[in-house]
Amino acid sequence: MFDMDEVAQLALLSDSYLFRALDDEGRRNLAAAGTSRAFEAGEVIVRLGEPGDSFFMVKRGKVRVLGGSEAQPVELASLGRGSCFGEMALLAGTPRTATVEAAEPSEVVVYDKGDVDAVLASYPDVRQALELLAGKRRLATTARTG
Ligand code: CMP
């Protein structure tokens, strides 16, 4: 049996191109592993420079990605429902490359590194899609912040 949050997470994962390669079982396992968390406008979800061992999908609302430095932030992106973040530190084992904060009251699904790693090990196409996204974002960040 699924609870309502798992049903909502399944819909989120099914709609995302990143997880297209998952079969039903993989999607259900990942949905069962995620936890929904609510954030008020302005609340920081991940902070630039901190270690990162979780991955996020935006379920409701909008989050703002801020690069540069704490003193001189540069807005890199605004991400809405279905977008993910936190993949860069997770994949590369590096600190967070940006601060991500809620731009409005938002809900995000949080996945632990272990659960994501299990998916990446079983579904190489998902790893490839996430690596591609991380590579594009890294280039965009470098172009904006040097
Ligand atoms: P991570 O470095 O783990 O934590 C901050 C996140 O912000 C990062 O992963 C990406 O998910 C996201 N991010 C970083 N740079 C960009 C960008 N240029 N465009 C969109 N999202 C980004």
Side-chain angles (χ1 to χ4, degrees):
M1 273 301 281
F2 296 131
D3 63 26
M4 283 312 288
D5 192 40
E6 275 181 46
V7 173
Q9 284 189 48
L10 270 177
L12 197 63
L13 292 172
S14 303
D15 288 347
S16 169
Y17 79 96
L18 291 167
F19 297 101
R20 208 161 26 210
L22 287 185
D23 53 21
D24 285 348
E25 190 192 351
R27 209 173 284 121
R28 272 201 303 270
N29 288 342
L30 189 58
T35 309
S36 289
R37 284 188 55 196
F39 292 89
E40 297 303 324
E43 263 193 276
V44 170
I45 308 170
V46 307
R47 197 177 289 278
L48 177 75
E50 289 188 349
D53 49 10
S54 38
F55 171 76
F56 305 82
M57 300 247 342
V58 181
K59 188 167 153 194
R60 175 174 62 83
K62 260 193 179 51
V63 302
R64 194 183 285 135
V65 181
L66 301 168
S69 65
E70 295 260 341
Q72 273 187 308
V74 176
E75 180 158 345
L76 296 170
S78 167
L79 305 176
R81 178 179 165 80
S83 297
C84 75
F85 60 94
E87 78 291 350
M88 292 168 75
L90 197 97
L91 290 169
T94 51
R96 296 295 188 196
T97 59
T99 291
V100 183
E101 65 178 30
E104 58 187 67
S106 301
E107 209 176 332
V108 306
V109 183
V110 189
Y111 300 96
D112 289 339
K113 178 174 166 53
D115 295 313
V116 178
D117 282 344
V119 168
L120 300 183
S122 305
Y123 301 90
D125 288 354
V126 176
R127 175 183 289 280
Q128 195 187 23
L130 273 180
E131 296 272 12
L132 269 174
L133 179 68
K136 280 187 198 159
R137 286 177 167 177
R138 190 166 296 114
L139 283 175
T141 298
T142 306
R144 296 288 306 283
T145 62

